Amino acid sequence: MKRLLITITLVLGICCGSALQPASAQPTGTGPITALILYDAPPNDSYSKLGQAYAIMLSNLLGHFDGTVTLKPVDQYTPGMVENYQTIFYVGAYYDNPGVPTAFLSDVTTTQKTIVWFKYNLWQVAWNATYSFTQRYGISFSGLRGLDSSPSSSNPAPGFFDTVIYKNTNLVKYYDFNASTGVARADPDIGVTHVTDATKAQVLVDIKDSKTNEQVPYIIRSGNFWYVADMPFSFIGPRDRYLVLCDMLFSMVNRAGTAGHQALVRLEDVGALVSTSTMKTLTDYLFGLAIPFSIATIPHYRDPLGIYNGGVAQDIPFAQATGLKSALAYASARGAKIVMHGYTHQYNSMRNVNTAVSGDDFEFWNAVANTPVAEDSAQWAGGRLDSGLQELISGGYTPFAWEAPHYQSSPLSIKAVPPRFANTYQRVVYYTSDNPTTLNSAAINRDFSVGQFFPYLIKKDYYGQKVIPENLGNIEYNICNIDPSSCLTYTWQDIYLNAQYALMVQDAVASFFFHPFWLESAVGTPGFADFKSLIQGITQLGYTWADASTF
């Protein structure tokens, strides 16, 4: 009965602004953007496709703006290519990549187009006297810095530049050390730069080593050139420096955001066995406050192993789901909008991690093997989407958006979505191949998958979807004694804090979801009280509640 919380392990590339404008200039550009994302893709390496994964994430964020985005391995760069775009991003994901063309390095120091460079390989241009990098930009590159010392069981957190300071807020980078294996999960490396000519360059954002309090530039700019010291797509979260990039991207592409911030709320995993009384309670509360809301509806309920039905298999199509239809009718009459949340939200009779019951398991991904399901194809997925749509439409409901079960589908399954739905309302997992069979392996040229949340509307993502964001998470209670798969705790205060952080991003939407079953007496949680506290808290932060179907 839990949603998978997606954590993202990624790196970013290069962004660009306008030609040699002052660092303090405000975005003034209009019209569609044109952007080129160049990424490292060294051949015959287990990390050959990592740069592509980061480039996909960057292209998704650029999907917030109207325009076109082109992705290309940096080794395919040809002289003068930068002149065909307003903004050029370089995803420096591979240390000392020998495939960065000299033509690109030369163009970086001669073009008037905006260049944004992330993390690795800046030394290839900054330390080569041929390019006069420091003379042109007033920026020197000192080198890389990582962990202050090697972690150990006696010193598990030795420190690194882990705290990005932005808009008077500290955003702390993820770090975890497993003393039993000696493995640290982190992305500590940064590129250290300094301003050598303050008439040309300016530090826009700092990063601090929280152990030593040393500060160095995190984002530095000189006219048309930007440098970001690390990879903002690695280990991202709702209070991470990823938000800094999401906000600074407006300046990098020279576009202004809109005034104000909106909020969205969605009731989740609403299927045939939903409690009509809890749905009525939540509906009445939101309707009483004139707050629009969405309902993520599972059209067809299945419990093929009888897990929740005394060992007897149970199958309830929408036409026979009396309680669900009653709850939707009541909510729809009070303004609720319907999202289609999978077809059955489970896969065949397989315990696809949990129980094989609707709402519990994955539908369009084999989560046990971490591969596509055996039947995987756009045609197979399209058939399931069509079946779910038919059941809902026959029952009088046309969903305005799609939401993948547990936010994860295969790339071929995702391709079935845009022809059928104008909107998706979710987080998304992206892949470097349409047939990702070597995930989590050490294979040469192995595939990568990356999960991504968005703080604002994405008009067109890598798969051609319009993505209405969900970026705050959901309230969770540890009820292991009732449900062994539900052992997380995530409080309403956690989500409220996430909403506070989101305010630093232009055009940001504070979007969360809530499971109605937390109101049921059997689970013994303060679900309704916490839900009300969260709604009130987000309102007090100044967000305006919006109807997701109008995005």
Side-chain angles (χ1 to χ4, degrees):
M1 297 171 68
K2 312 299 280 185
R3 170 164 312 287
L4 182 69
L5 298 178
I6 300 173
T7 303
I8 303 142
T9 310
L10 296 170
V11 182
L12 173 58
I14 292 184
C15 270
C16 322
S18 62
L20 294 175
Q21 60 187 343
S24 59
Q26 296 299 312
T28 59
T30 59
I33 68 167
T34 58
L36 171 65
I37 301 176
L38 300 168
Y39 59 90
D40 291 335
N44 303 319
D45 190 280
S46 58
Y47 290 95
S48 294
K49 295 184 178 181
L50 182 59
Q52 179 189 356
Y54 298 147
I56 290 170
M57 294 182 77
L58 177 56
S59 72
N60 288 332
L61 288 180
L62 290 170
H64 178 64
F65 308 96
D66 294 316
T68 58
V69 180
T70 301
L71 283 69
K72 187 179 292 291
V74 70
D75 60 10
Q76 296 181 15
Y77 182 85
T78 57
M81 188 179 289
V82 294
E83 303 307 323
N84 299 321
Y85 304 88
Q86 299 166 354
T87 307
I88 300 85
F89 299 81
Y90 168 61
V91 179
Y94 191 89
Y95 174 79
D96 216 16
N97 178 17
V100 181
T102 56
F104 175 62
L105 301 178
S106 177
D107 286 349
V108 163
T109 53
T110 57
T111 185
Q112 301 295 307
K113 297 300 180 73
T114 303
I115 304 288
V116 185
W117 190 301
F118 287 85
K119 197 174 181 174
Y120 288 137
N121 305 325
L122 185 62
W123 54 85
Q124 293 188 20
V125 62
W127 291 351
N128 189 326
T130 302
Y131 305 118
S132 302
F133 176 84
T134 298
Q135 180 181 355
R136 174 180 168 99
Y137 290 122
I139 298 171
S140 67
F141 180 77
S142 300
L144 296 176
R145 296 277 294 275
L147 292 172
D148 295 343
S149 61
S150 297
S152 64
S153 56
S154 60
N155 184 27
F160 63 102
F161 286 95
D162 61 353
T163 304
V164 176
I165 306 163
Y166 189 62
K167 296 186 177 180
N168 299 314
T169 302
N170 290 340
L171 299 100
V172 180
K173 294 175 63 174
Y174 177 86
Y175 177 86
D176 178 72
F177 176 70
N178 188 324
S180 62
T181 63
V183 175
R185 284 175 49 80
D187 182 16
D189 284 357
I190 65 163
V192 178
T193 56
H194 301 279
V195 173
T196 61
D197 186 342
T199 66
K200 296 179 178 179
Q202 180 182 356
V203 177
L204 302 181
V205 184
D206 283 319
I207 187 169
K208 180 177 70 173
D209 184 322
S210 60
K211 291 294 182 70
T212 66
N213 287 321
E214 180 184 1
Q215 290 188 195
V216 297
Y218 181 68
I219 298 180
I220 193 169
R221 180 185 182 187
S222 174
N224 68 308
F225 182 82
W226 301 66
Y227 179 68
V228 180
D230 83 339
M231 294 296 177
F233 288 133
S234 62
F235 300 102
I236 70 174
R239 305 168 209 163
D240 177 64
R241 85 285 195 209
Y242 170 72
L243 297 182
V244 179
L245 173 67
C246 293
D247 189 54
M248 294 295 290
L249 202 59
F250 286 82
S251 294
M252 291 173 174
V253 299
N254 192 31
R255 294 295 182 273
T258 56
H261 292 84
Q262 295 179 301
L264 300 176
V265 56
R266 185 179 74 221
L267 304 184
E268 195 76 353
D269 288 334
V270 177
L273 301 189
V274 71
S275 165
T276 55
S277 63
T278 60
M279 285 294 292
K280 182 179 184 300
T281 297
L282 291 166
T283 295
D284 287 344
Y285 176 72
L286 293 169
F287 181 66
L289 295 176
I291 293 177
F293 64 102
S294 304
I295 301 176
T297 305
I298 304 168
H300 195 118
Y301 177 87
R302 296 193 71 231
D303 180 359
L305 305 178
I307 298 296
Y308 300 135
N309 194 41
V312 179
Q314 195 169 20
D315 189 287
I316 308 175
F318 187 77
Q320 298 173 17
T322 305
L324 173 60
K325 291 195 294 182
S326 174
L328 294 185
Y330 188 83
S332 296
R334 288 153 183 81
K337 303 298 172 59
I338 306 302
V339 176
M340 184 167 137
H341 188 25
Y343 172 38
T344 63
H345 201 315
Q346 53 82 241
Y347 173 66
N348 293 341
S349 298
M350 170 186 171
R351 286 180 177 264
N352 202 1
V353 176
N354 294 314
T355 63
V357 179
S358 293
D360 283 4
D361 275 0
F362 295 77
E363 182 174 357
F364 297 94
W365 185 254
N366 184 332
V368 176
N370 197 29
T371 64
V373 300
E375 305 93 331
D376 184 53
S377 70
Q379 293 74 24
W380 171 80
R384 296 188 69 81
L385 268 61
D386 289 340
S387 294
L389 280 168
Q390 182 59 47
E391 291 201 27
L392 288 176
I393 293 171
S394 295
Y397 298 97
T398 300
F400 75 90
W402 163 259
E403 180 195 349
H406 295 313
Y407 290 153
Q408 188 159 7
S409 299
S410 72
L412 293 180
S413 293
I414 294 172
K415 291 178 184 295
V417 175
R420 294 166 172 84
F421 291 90
N423 306 296
T424 63
Y425 184 2
Q426 58 184 355
R427 306 182 185 198
V428 187
V429 177
Y430 298 90
Y431 305 85
T432 56
S433 168
D434 279 355
N435 184 30
T437 58
T438 57
L439 298 169
N440 300 331
S441 74
I444 299 299
N445 300 323
R446 69 185 176 100
D447 297 319
F448 284 85
S449 65
V450 291
Q452 189 171 13
F453 74 89
F454 304 110
Y456 35 57
L457 176 71
I458 302 302
K459 297 176 183 178
K460 186 177 182 180
D461 76 348
Y462 180 69
Y463 292 120
Q465 304 174 111
K466 185 170 83 170
V467 185
I468 300 167
E470 183 280 294
N471 59 321
L472 303 185
N474 60 291
I475 295 174
E476 295 281 6
Y477 302 94
N478 186 333
I479 56 168
C480 278
N481 58 321
I482 300 174
D483 181 357
S485 68
S486 297
C487 301
L488 296 173
T489 297
Y490 207 65
T491 68
W492 76 264
Q493 292 93 335
D494 288 323
I495 299 174
Y496 172 74
L497 185 57
N498 294 345
Q500 288 181 291
Y501 274 76
L503 284 170
M504 71 177 62
V505 180
Q506 297 168 79
D507 290 359
V509 179
S511 178
F512 77 99
F513 64 88
F514 182 81
H515 288 101
F517 58 70
W518 292 128
L519 271 65
E520 296 176 19
S521 58
V523 298
T525 65
F528 189 41
D530 288 351
F531 179 78
K532 291 190 291 185
S533 294
L534 181 54
I535 291 289
Q536 293 163 9
I538 291 175
T539 302
Q540 290 166 3
L541 288 175
Y543 287 96
T544 300
W545 293 98
D547 181 345
S549 70
T550 65
F551 271 51

